[in-house]
Amino acid sequence: MAFGGSDQVNDTLTVPTSLKIVVAGGFGVGKTTMVNSVSEIPPLRTEEVLTEASVGVDDMQGIEGKETTTVALDFGRITINPQVVLYLFGTPGQNRFWFMWDELAHGALGAIVLVDTRRLDSSFPSIDFFERRDIPFVVAVNGFDGAWDHTVDEVRQALDIEPTVPVVKCDARTRESSKGVLVELVQYTMAQLEQRAPARQS
């Protein structure tokens, strides 16, 4: 994986100072909202108004009030601590824009798969994408209107993901909640890297 500069933390693990994180998920799950809520800089957005051209192409079930869509990416930045700065890349959710995902995920340390329990089936392509590329990810269950209809265990079982993959509840509209998901991802990802690091030579 390609990272930016790095600071030595111990003898076996180097933590990059700048980390690329992908925020992914199905159409309308809240990816743009999460990047906007947590970014410490004015986020770059590539939203366009939904038009009649999307009728019959984009699945609007459960998000009938959605009026805009990301057509390229969302970009934001957040400083977790003096040593760790995250650069966030939000992916477009519609199938017709998935050809961009490989480029957006290139060099990513890890990913957040944001899910809407009203439309869990839209999460499977994102999970499959990161599993196939061996990119660590966490699942964040976005509580629309502050409500979660299912428990974390129910979501894990429905998505059929590995028991080691973190599943957390969040409200993508709030900075602290979104930041908590990012902290969870960084901790999980660094633990994964530490496990994969070659054993120290005696």
Side-chain angles (χ1 to χ4, degrees):
M1 285 184 274
F3 307 124
S6 59
D7 288 337
Q8 190 72 27
V9 171
N10 56 42
D11 291 337
T12 61
L13 181 63
T14 299
V15 179
T17 56
S18 57
L19 311 176
K20 181 179 182 179
I21 301 297
V22 177
V23 182
F27 181 43
V29 297
K31 300 180 295 295
T32 297
T33 299
M34 173 172 276
V35 174
N36 288 351
S37 72
V38 79
S39 180
E40 62 195 16
I41 62 173
L44 169 65
R45 295 181 293 181
T46 57
E47 286 194 307
E48 296 291 343
V49 176
L50 285 168
T51 66
E52 292 183 0
S54 67
V55 176
V57 177
D58 299 326
D59 181 8
M60 301 294 292
Q61 185 176 359
I63 51 172
E64 290 81 3
K66 186 173 176 59
E67 297 180 348
T68 60
T69 182
T70 299
V71 297
L73 61 89
D74 298 308
F75 174 77
R77 184 189 73 197
I78 178 173
T79 301
I80 296 296
N81 61 45
Q83 287 75 43
V84 180
V85 178
L86 305 183
Y87 292 94
L88 312 178
F89 292 78
T91 65
Q94 304 97 308
N95 298 9
R96 55 198 166 114
F97 295 128
W98 281 354
F99 66 91
M100 302 178 186
W101 281 39
D102 276 319
E103 187 66 27
L104 291 175
H106 180 70
L109 178 77
I112 295 169
V113 176
L114 202 59
V115 304
D116 178 354
T117 56
R118 300 171 300 179
R119 298 178 295 116
L120 273 181
D121 57 328
S122 69
S123 308
F124 288 110
S126 301
I127 291 172
D128 184 63
F129 178 90
F130 295 115
E131 285 182 339
R132 286 178 178 273
R133 288 157 181 79
D134 199 25
I135 297 176
F137 67 92
V138 301
V139 172
V141 184
N142 192 11
F144 290 86
D145 298 322
W148 292 274
D149 297 327
H150 301 278
T151 67
V152 164
D153 288 339
E154 288 173 337
V155 172
R156 180 186 298 280
Q157 184 175 5
L159 295 177
D160 191 28
I161 56 177
E162 294 292 331
T164 55
V165 174
V167 179
V168 297
K169 293 181 178 180
C170 75
D171 184 340
R173 300 167 299 179
T174 67
R175 176 179 173 83
E176 286 305 310
S177 182
S178 296
K179 184 176 179 180
V181 176
L182 290 166
V183 170
E184 182 79 25
L185 173 62
V186 170
Q187 291 175 341
Y188 172 66
T189 301
M190 299 316 296
Q192 291 294 301
L193 290 177
E194 199 166 23
Q195 290 177 5
R196 298 174 187 179
R200 292 179 60 190
Q201 294 183 353
S202 55

